[in-house]
Amino acid sequence: MQRTDHLEQAENQEFDICIIGGGATGAGCLLDAQSRGLKAILIEKHDFASETSSKSTKLIHGGVRYLEQAVKQADLNQYHMVKKALRERLTLIHNAPHLAHPLALLTPCMSWMEGIYYTAGLKMYDTLSGDLSIGKSEWLNKEEALKRNPSLTHKIHSAVLYYDGQLNDARYNMSLVKTAMQYGAVALNHAEARAFEKDSVGRLAVLHIRDSLTGRLLRIRAKRFINATGPFSDRIRLLANPAMGRRMRVSKGVHIIVPGELMPSDTAILVPKTDDGRVVFIIPYNGKLMIGTTETESELGETEPVVERAEVDYLISYVNRYFEKPITADQVIAGFAGLRPLLQADPNADTKQLVRDHEVEVDPTSGLVSILGGKWTTYRLMSKDTIDKFYELEERPEQPCITDHIKLVGAEGYADDFWKVLVNKFGIPEDVARHLNRQYGTESLEIAQLMHDHPDWKARLSEQLPNTKAEAVFVVRAEMAQTLKDVLARRFGLELTDWQSSDQISETVADLMAAELGWTDDERRKAVSDYHAEIDWFRKSAGLIV
């Protein structure tokens, strides 16, 4: 179904639920509601996963730090939050095995006492996973640790090996939206919530939205409106009821990317403690090395948050405490910054101490339902709680949630070696086939068919990349990609890991998008010019060019 079809349905139907926000939680609510038989629509101001949900640490985890806080503070709420998240890891992996998988991590120990401490903590982490564990922790001696990850400093005493999950967050988010569409849901990106209409008793009845691509104004009628806008939740809450108090605090998290060969290992590293109480991850991701994250109090702005030079230096300083061979700022090839939604608990609390649990809030005046707080790993539970609340408020017989066993698009029939089908049947180069299999699962057959039907689309967008012209066309046709950033940052994920390559292929991608979307020459030129300027802005903000 094309975006124009979704626009028409948006205005011409009445929905049970209208979800505002196209990140993981909003997409999860859309799938949960539609799969229970409700009529649901999602609207997103920018693009699906354009904010927090594409800028995570790419981990599916309970939260080692939160477990430590739970024990130190005797906090049962944090303990139960970690337990829930740990038991969700396996569900996320099972539902989309092409986009999520177990990841081995090492926690370096600089002394015997640290080894005892971290081993005990990670054994507790294992126990909380119960029968849904994805791997048991193990205390390794120095020799064993260096064999697993030769980049570690030889000053370590030992290391604790444990397992969490890793996911391609933006593509997982997109797959949730597409799976919901298969159930009949309606979804719109680049559609901004502008104002509500209320009924005679003051309850929300209509949402006015603006299609930012055309300027078209639409009215969406729904029985209930769900606010799933993460760090921007207060904006929608106040739009529905200006008398509501603010509930959200925002934390800025930053990651930087360096070449993968700087850590030739598939075992990640968790730096368990920084001087200011944070943790830092050093993680192999899509052939690169991702280092993050910072956690600093932030304010919402109108522009995308960016990596700053001080944050680059901060992260590198901690990597170099644990690497045998230091890395330098001039080796940074990309980076990204995201805003995390932290549910206000104590007004005086530091953001790195706020719990990442969630709450479903109902405004008794307007009827707005807001899902607040939470994190990627628990998106499905957050969505379930939100749709359960809909049934309670509407006094309808509740239909059971089934999202724990819904395979996302691309997962049915998937296998790690499914790429061989693309090679043997379509003659696709192995590196391209492996890339498509990891990004799209069995949906990669549709891209392979595009290559077969249009041989010129077999061409790579760059000699150094596995991305092809056919892939760019596919994400425009099948995934509502409407801008260069939609393609390069979210559908490909390239912008977040390689600024130079993303910038270099933008012209070719723009040519393909122009043909698909009917852009004029001026529109195509402006899209490319704006994208070049944005990449330059990222580099300058990070202090990587003057």
Side-chain angles (χ1 to χ4, degrees), residues 172-220:
Y172 207 109
N173 197 143
M174 188 68 240
S175 295
L176 288 169
V177 174
K178 291 176 72 175
T179 306
M181 288 179 182
Q182 288 187 343
Y183 276 88
V186 177
L188 288 171
N189 55 356
H190 302 286
E192 181 183 5
R194 302 292 294 272
F196 288 106
E197 284 182 33
K198 299 177 181 179
D199 62 17
S200 58
V201 295
R203 294 298 177 91
L204 305 181
V206 173
L207 176 65
H208 290 256
I209 69 170
R210 179 181 180 273
D211 178 1
S212 60
L213 301 176
T214 64
R216 178 179 173 184
L217 301 176
L218 297 90
R219 297 170 73 253
I220 297 177

Side-chain angles (χ1 to χ4, degrees), residues 253-269:
V254 166
H255 299 79
I256 58 173
I257 308 294
V258 297
E261 55 264 27
L262 297 180
M263 190 181 85
S265 172
D266 59 2
T267 301
I269 296 172

Side-chain angles (χ1 to χ4, degrees), residues 5 37 46 106 113 125 154 202 219 225 283 285 287 305 374 413 473 491:
D5 297 322
H46 298 298
L106 284 176
M113 286 299 295
Y125 202 61
H154 293 187
R219 297 170 73 253
F225 293 86
I283 302 175
Y285 181 72
V473 172
R491 307 303 184 277

Side-chain angles (χ1 to χ4, degrees), residues 224-227 360-362 367-371 386 389 393:
R224 286 280 171 178
F225 293 86
I226 292 174
N227 172 19
V360 181
E361 175 197 74
V362 181
L368 178 71
V369 178
S370 295
I371 173 65
T386 305
K389 180 61 69 174
L393 294 170

Side-chain angles (χ1 to χ4, degrees), residues 260-306:
E261 55 264 27
L262 297 180
M263 190 181 85
S265 172
D266 59 2
T267 301
I269 296 172
L270 164 65
V271 175
K273 186 178 180 182
T274 62
D275 297 341
D276 51 6
R278 313 175 199 182
V279 297
V280 172
F281 292 95
I282 309 167
I283 302 175
Y285 181 72
N286 282 357
K288 304 293 193 303
L289 192 60
M290 181 172 63
I291 302 164
T293 176
T294 63
E295 185 129 347
T296 54
E297 186 94 24
S298 185
E299 297 293 332
L300 293 179
E302 295 303 319
T303 57
E304 181 175 355
V306 295

Side-chain angles (χ1 to χ4, degrees), residues 319-475:
V319 172
N320 288 342
R321 292 188 190 187
Y322 290 88
F323 266 24
E324 182 68 14
K325 184 178 180 181
I327 67 172
T328 58
D330 60 8
Q331 293 174 306
V332 174
I333 58 175
F336 56 93
L339 299 176
R340 296 167 173 171
L342 301 174
L343 184 57
Q344 182 70 53
D346 176 0
N348 299 312
D350 190 327
T351 55
K352 61 180 175 286
Q353 296 177 333
L354 292 183
V355 178
R356 296 291 296 280
D357 212 347
H358 67 271
E359 175 187 328
V360 181
E361 175 197 74
V362 181
D363 174 23
T365 302
S366 69
L368 178 71
V369 178
S370 295
I371 173 65
L372 306 173
K375 61 180 185 176
W376 236 117
T377 308
T378 55
Y379 89 87
R380 197 191 66 81
L381 297 180
M382 296 165 67
S383 305
K384 176 184 181 300
D385 290 349
T386 305
I387 304 307
D388 285 349
K389 180 61 69 174
F390 168 84
Y391 281 102
E392 177 187 325
L393 294 170
E394 293 295 310
E395 299 181 343
R396 292 194 193 184
E398 184 176 317
Q399 298 299 311
C401 171
I402 61 173
T403 55
D404 58 338
H405 58 266
I406 291 179
K407 293 284 189 181
L408 302 189
V409 291
E412 289 291 350
Y414 170 79
D416 288 343
D417 63 353
F418 185 78
W419 60 268
K420 293 179 180 178
V421 174
L422 306 181
V423 172
N424 296 330
K425 184 176 180 180
F426 294 95
I428 295 173
E430 182 176 328
D431 66 324
V432 175
R434 286 180 178 272
H435 159 77
L436 292 175
N437 195 35
R438 286 193 305 269
Q439 295 278 98
Y440 305 93
T442 51
E443 272 199 306
S444 57
L445 287 173
E446 297 181 36
I447 300 174
Q449 190 63 51
L450 285 176
M451 294 181 184
H452 178 269
D453 296 342
H454 304 271
D456 55 319
W457 290 352
K458 291 181 180 179
R460 298 172 189 255
L461 296 169
S462 163
E463 291 183 6
Q464 289 75 42
L465 297 174
N467 308 86
T468 61
K469 290 183 175 181
E471 185 182 353
V473 172
F474 174 79
V475 299

Side-chain angles (χ1 to χ4, degrees), residues 83-102:
K83 185 174 182 178
K84 285 189 298 185
L86 283 173
R87 297 177 76 83
E88 275 295 291
R89 292 180 311 183
L90 201 57
T91 301
L92 268 70
I93 293 170
H94 281 170
N95 287 352
H98 55 304
L99 298 173
H101 56 85

